[in-house]
Amino acid sequence: LCLYMGIQHFKGHKDVVSCADFSPNNKQLATGSCDKNLMIWNLTPKARAFRFVGHTDIITGVHFSPNGSLVASSSRDQTVRLWTPSIKGESTVFKAHTASVRSVQFSSDGQRLVTASDDKSVKVWGVERKKFLYSLNRHTNWVRCARFSPDGRLVASCGDDRTVRLWDTSSRQCINIFTDYGGSATFVDFNSSGTCIASSGADNTLKIWDIRTNKLIQHYIVHSAGVNCFSFHPSGNYLISGSSDSTMKILDLLEGRLIYTLHGHKGPVLAVAFSRDGDLFASGGADSQVLMWKTNFDSLNYKVLLSRHRKRVTPDPPPHLMDIYPRSHHRHSAQNGTVEIHPIVADTQSGDPQVVEVGRVLFSTADVRSHDSATSRRDQPISSLGWTHTRPREEEDEDQHERLPGGMTTSREEHSGIPSSLNSTLENIVQQLDILTQTVAVLEERLTLTEDKLRTCLDNQVLLLQQTQQIDGSDQEAEGQSL
C-alpha cells in the first residue's frame, strides 16, 4: 500500500475552492474559487503566489495548457478566460455559452478547448485563432463536465440529465450513452490510455466503463454523500475522489478496492488533482482551504509494482471508433463488493505566501476589447456550484456595487475609474455584441446541419443513379437475350 500525507496548506482564497490543476512541470498549482479569483501558487519554498482578477462570478474550472504557457478558467459569468500565468495578468475572453460554464479543458495537443455549460451544450474552441468551432447538443439538462480523450478523437460529457455521453469529434455525433444514475452525473474523465472512462454521481457512486466493450467494469459505493470530483493517477493504477461527506478516497484500480480514506477538509471536497508525475495531489473544498499531499511511492519501489502489473498498466492502443459498441443506452446493475478502509488524518503545515494581485487594471479595458461584459452580480449561495444539485433558476439582477469585506461597498465607477454614463454606453454595446455572438453561433450550427443534410441528399442521389443504371443495364441485357 502507499501512504498519503499532507505537506502544505495554501492560504489565499476567501471563499469555496472549486477547482485545481497542476502545471505540466509540477512547479505551479492553479486553483479557482467562489471568490471569483484565480490563484497561481508557486510550489518552491517562500515563492510568491499570484491572484488573477477578471471573472465577475464563481470560477468553476481551471486547466493548464500542455506546455504550461496558458491557463484556462471557466466561470458562472458565462465566459472562459485564457490567462498568461505571469505577473502581467493578461487574459483573453471566450464567450458563446448563454449560461454558466461548468468546466474547461485543453486537448492534449493544446489546439482546442472543450467546455460544458448550464445551457445544455458542450462547445469546442480553437485556441490559436481564439474561435468558437462547434457545439455538441444532445443533453437535456445542465452539463457539468466535458473532457477530451488523450488522442483528442473523443469527448466524454455528463450532467443533470443523469447520463454520460461519448462524442466523436470528427462527425460531431453522440456515439454512446451510459445511463441509470440515481442523480446528477457530476464528473467524467478518461484514463491515461483512453480505453476507459470514469464517472461520478450525486448518488454517491463511482463507475468505470470500458468504452471498447461498453461494459461497466468497476462500481464503487464508498462515499456517504455525493461524489463531486476525482482524478486518475498517471499510472492508471489509482484514483482519488472528493465528496460532500468531507472525505477523499484512494482507490486501487488494479485490486478493485478502497485502500485509504483521507480527512483534512471541513465540509464538501470539491476539487482533487494529481500532479503530472503522480508524486503530489491537491485538494480544495468548501472550507476555502487548498491542501497539497504527497505520496511515498518511491519508498515502496513503485517501479517494481508497475513491472509486476506491466501487462495491465501498459497503455493499450486507442480504441477504433468502430469498436465502441453498442450505440444505445446501456443500463447496469450495482455490484456489491468488500472494501477495506484505512483512515489517515493528516497534519498540515500552514504557510502564508506573499500574494501578488494582478489583472485588475487590465480587467476594465481588456474585457471591452474582448466583447465581454464587466458587470458584477450578487454573490449567490455556494449550493449552486453543484454539490446540492439544485435545479436551474433565473439569474439575479445585476448589482451596481461590489461587496467588500466588512459590509462596505464600492461603486463600479470608483472601482474602474470609468464615468457611469460611458460605462452604461459600453455595457449596452457589449450586450449587443453578446447577442450578435450568440446569433452567429446558432447560424453556424444550423449551417452545419444543413451541410450534413445536403451531403445525405447527394449520397442518396448517387445511390439512386447507380440503381437506375443497374436496372437499365438489366433491361438491355434482357432485350438482347430475347432477340
Side-chain angles (χ1 to χ4, degrees):
L1 298 179
C2 50
L3 289 175
Y4 293 81
M5 55 183 292
I7 61 171
Q8 202 162 355
H9 175 194
F10 296 107
K11 294 181 179 179
H13 282 300
K14 301 176 182 178
D15 208 334
V16 175
V17 178
S18 54
C19 50
D21 188 47
F22 282 90
S23 64
N25 61 8
N26 301 314
K27 292 183 179 180
Q28 292 180 311
L29 173 69
T31 57
S33 168
C34 291
D35 63 13
K36 310 175 188 177
N37 296 326
L38 170 71
M39 296 288 295
I40 303 289
W41 312 90
N42 290 301
L43 303 184
T44 54
K46 298 182 180 180
R48 293 181 298 177
F50 296 96
R51 178 184 291 118
F52 293 87
V53 180
H55 281 295
T56 61
D57 211 327
I58 291 170
I59 295 178
T60 57
V62 64
H63 194 239
F64 273 95
S65 63
N67 62 8
S69 62
L70 295 171
V71 177
S73 59
S74 59
S75 172
R76 207 174 64 182
D77 64 11
Q78 304 182 12
T79 70
V80 171
R81 283 180 179 262
L82 281 184
W83 305 86
T84 302
S86 67
I87 198 168
K88 294 182 179 180
E90 297 174 336
S91 68
T92 302
V93 181
F94 290 65
K95 183 171 175 61
H97 284 292
T98 58
S100 301
V101 186
R102 291 278 180 165
S103 75
V104 63
Q105 187 203 31
F106 282 95
S107 58
S108 58
D109 60 7
Q111 298 299 309
R112 292 171 295 164
L113 286 171
V114 63
T115 55
S117 171
D118 287 358
D119 63 11
K120 306 177 187 178
S121 75
V122 174
K123 293 187 184 295
V124 177
W125 315 72
V127 174
E128 186 176 355
R129 296 186 178 182
K130 300 177 176 58
K131 181 183 178 182
F132 164 70
L133 298 179
Y134 57 87
S135 289
L136 304 173
N137 299 304
R138 284 296 180 270
H139 282 283
T140 58
N141 208 326
W142 291 359
V143 189
R144 293 191 175 268
C145 185
R147 290 290 185 267
F148 280 113
S149 62
D151 61 10
R153 295 185 305 164
L154 300 172
V155 166
S157 61
C158 66
D160 282 10
D161 59 3
R162 303 185 179 189
T163 68
V164 174
R165 293 176 179 267
L166 204 60
W167 310 81
D168 178 356
T169 57
S170 298
S171 65
R172 304 176 188 179
Q173 298 297 315
C174 179
I175 59 175
N176 216 335
I177 306 174
F178 303 95
T179 60
D180 198 27
Y181 280 81
S184 300
T186 56
F187 199 87
V188 68
D189 202 1
F190 289 85
N191 67 346
S192 57
S193 67
T195 58
C196 296
I197 58 172
S199 60
S200 60
D203 58 358
N204 311 352
T205 63
L206 276 162
K207 297 160 187 164
I208 300 179
W209 314 80
D210 187 325
I211 61 175
R212 297 163 298 181
T213 60
N214 194 34
K215 289 184 178 179
L216 179 71
I217 56 177
Q218 291 186 351
H219 183 196
Y220 299 94
I221 307 179
V222 293
H223 285 287
S224 58
V227 183
N228 301 311
C229 52
F230 61 82
S231 178
F232 278 104
H233 188 269
S235 68
N237 290 349
Y238 302 97
L239 181 144
I240 180 172
S241 59
S243 167
S244 293
D245 64 10
S246 305
T247 69
M248 292 165 284
K249 305 282 184 176
I250 309 294
L251 302 174
D252 184 333
L253 302 182
L254 295 178
E255 300 294 335
R257 65 191 181 97
L258 171 67
I259 55 176
Y260 281 107
T261 297
L262 302 178
H263 302 267
H265 288 281
K266 299 176 181 178
V269 181
L270 301 175
V272 291
F274 271 111
S275 61
R276 300 298 197 270
D277 60 8
D279 288 341
L280 302 170
F281 71 87
S283 60
D287 55 6
S288 307
Q289 290 191 103
V290 177
L291 301 180
M292 190 167 69
W293 309 71
K294 184 175 178 60
T295 67
N296 70 337
F297 286 137
D298 292 339
S299 64
L300 293 168
N301 201 341
Y302 184 38
K303 292 182 180 180
V304 173
L305 176 65
L306 284 180
S307 63
R308 190 184 308 163
H309 301 284
R310 186 174 302 280
K311 184 176 180 180
R312 299 180 69 182
V313 302
T314 300
D316 298 324
H320 190 280
L321 295 181
M322 296 305 295
D323 293 337
I324 302 173
Y325 288 107
R327 291 170 175 77
S328 61
H329 290 56
H330 178 79
R331 302 181 70 84
H332 69 273
S333 57
Q335 299 176 355
N336 295 322
T338 303
V339 297
E340 183 178 348
I341 303 175
H342 297 272
I344 298 292
V345 181
D347 294 327
T348 59
Q349 300 173 359
S350 298
D352 296 310
Q354 178 187 357
V355 176
V356 179
E357 189 166 298
V358 295
R360 187 174 294 277
V361 175
L362 293 172
F363 171 46
S364 60
T365 57
D367 280 357
V368 174
R369 291 197 301 269
S370 303
H371 302 166
D372 182 39
S373 174
T375 56
S376 299
R377 290 180 172 82
R378 291 192 184 97
D379 293 335
Q380 295 185 8
I382 58 177
S383 60
S384 61
L385 257 179
W387 63 79
T388 56
H389 308 287
T390 56
R391 308 320 312 163
R393 63 179 182 180
E394 296 295 326
E395 292 286 341
E396 295 192 25
D397 296 334
E398 294 181 351
D399 197 350
Q400 296 299 319
H401 295 82
E402 182 176 351
R403 299 182 183 275
L404 296 177
M408 298 176 61
T409 60
T410 178
S411 67
R412 283 179 296 181
E413 181 175 345
E414 295 173 354
H415 180 67
S416 64
I418 301 176
S420 58
S421 58
L422 178 59
N423 199 31
S424 177
T425 303
L426 289 174
E427 287 178 7
N428 289 332
I429 293 174
V430 167
Q431 289 175 3
Q432 295 301 317
L433 287 172
D434 285 345
I435 293 173
L436 180 60
T437 300
Q438 296 166 17
T439 303
V440 170
V442 172
L443 290 175
E444 286 182 347
E445 196 170 325
R446 291 182 177 177
L447 179 60
T448 301
L449 292 174
T450 303
E451 289 175 347
D452 292 342
K453 290 181 179 179
L454 180 60
R455 189 178 296 108
T456 302
C457 290
L458 291 174
D459 292 342
N460 290 337
Q461 286 184 345
V462 170
L463 289 174
L464 288 173
L465 182 60
Q466 291 175 346
Q467 292 174 356
T468 302
Q469 291 175 346
Q470 291 175 355
I471 293 173
D472 290 344
S474 300
D475 291 343
Q476 290 177 0
E477 185 179 349
E479 290 179 359
Q481 291 176 352
S482 62
L483 292 174

